[in-house]
Amino acid sequence: MLTDTHCHLADQPLFDDLPGVLERARNAGVKAMVVPSSSMGDWERVASLARRPGITAAFGVHPWNAREGVDLPSLRNRLAEAVALGEVGLDWKVDVPRNIQMDCLEAQLILARELGLPVLLHCRGAFNELLELLKAHPPKGAVIHAFSRGPELMRRFLEQGCHIGFGGAVTRAGAGNARASVVEVPEDRFVLETDAPWIGVEGGPSEPSSLPRVAGTVAFLRGVSRKRVEAASSESADRLGLL
Ligand SMILES: [Zn+2]
């Protein structure tokens, strides 16, 4: 069984072609999908997606949208129907003041901890700051999604109890750091994702039906069967409570 632990079905072009996207995912063996949200404005759409079988939801405010702030009482209500809080995190490569991003993330980490929910984390260029916040407010579980860095940084997130999310980036032959992490990650500490439509696979765009490409690459790099990789990822997703 294949689980796409991070796909943005509420975003275009996926949302307008939902029946096709879901059929192709089914045909590719993708049985479960976790749909994170990015801003308060897409919570309703994500909630409606999660009423379909095989789809679960996460709610939160992404660092790119941190300026809008977080309505914590509304988020708390939404999270009653969610498997995780997300997508949240820190991104030093966008023009959103760092203190605003940190405040936005910290408030959401405190809520996730209080509710006992795992968090789906986005991070670019802010790894030290993210690790500090995770140490201060350790969540019940966490996925550092679209991980593309090397084993040294990966180990620091593993020590913090995080799972590592691998996606389309690892299908690129030039992704040496990410591929080294794929080889080293413990079998019970990674999950697979596409991050569709935002991260493509080698040679083109992605949707959840691209997940076998990611699973195949991970299996090849680890020298094990694709079935074993798919099972390990799905078991971790289940243990985290994402299914
Ligand atoms: Zn994402």
Side-chain angles (χ1 to χ4, degrees), residues 6-8 11 36-38 62 87 122 145-146 193 195-196 198-199:
H6 196 114
C7 55
H8 293 276
D11 293 0
S37 49
S38 311
H62 193 284
E87 168 177 358
H122 166 106
H145 111 90
E193 60 168 66
D195 198 26
W198 299 107
I199 296 185

Side-chain angles (χ1 to χ4, degrees), residues 18-216:
L18 206 57
V21 168
L22 294 179
E23 193 189 339
R24 288 189 291 278
R26 222 181 358 259
N27 291 340
V30 180
K31 298 251 166 60
M33 286 161 263
V34 183
V35 180
S37 49
S38 311
S39 72
M40 293 192 271
D42 67 18
W43 288 353
E44 183 52 45
R45 199 184 254 202
V46 170
S48 72
L49 284 165
R51 286 178 203 121
R52 294 164 179 264
I55 300 181
T56 52
F59 300 101
V61 173
H62 193 284
W64 297 354
N65 302 310
R67 270 200 194 90
E68 75 181 34
V70 195
D71 178 348
L72 288 169
S74 308
L75 180 56
R76 179 190 293 272
N77 282 340
R78 286 288 183 195
L79 288 170
E81 292 171 46
V83 293
L85 183 140
E87 168 177 358
V88 298
L90 299 173
D91 193 329
W92 286 178
K93 300 197 174 165
V94 293
D95 181 27
V96 178
R98 294 183 178 190
N99 64 322
I100 290 179
Q101 293 191 40
M102 301 271 285
D103 289 351
C104 181
L105 174 60
E106 187 166 31
Q108 295 182 93
L109 284 178
I110 290 168
L111 183 60
R113 187 169 157 78
E114 184 198 321
L115 298 175
L117 282 172
V119 295
L120 308 179
L121 297 166
H122 166 106
C123 189
R124 284 199 306 174
F127 294 101
N128 289 331
E129 292 86 347
L130 177 60
L131 280 159
E132 283 310 311
L133 277 177
L134 289 173
K135 271 177 203 154
H137 310 287
K140 187 188 157 220
V143 177
I144 175 94
H145 111 90
F147 193 74
S148 63
R149 304 288 292 259
E152 206 172 312
L153 183 62
M154 178 179 75
R155 277 178 227 130
R156 295 174 64 200
F157 281 97
L158 289 171
E159 277 162 25
Q160 207 47 51
C162 295
H163 282 65
I164 312 296
F166 292 113
V170 307
T171 62
R172 297 181 198 125
N177 284 334
R179 288 181 155 206
S181 292
V182 166
V183 170
E184 184 177 309
V185 72
E187 189 165 69
D188 60 349
R189 297 295 292 282
F190 71 90
V191 291
L192 303 177
E193 60 168 66
T194 59
D195 198 26
W198 299 107
I199 296 185
V201 287
E202 173 84 33
S206 74
E207 56 175 60
S209 64
S210 314
L211 198 62
R213 290 270 308 275
V214 178

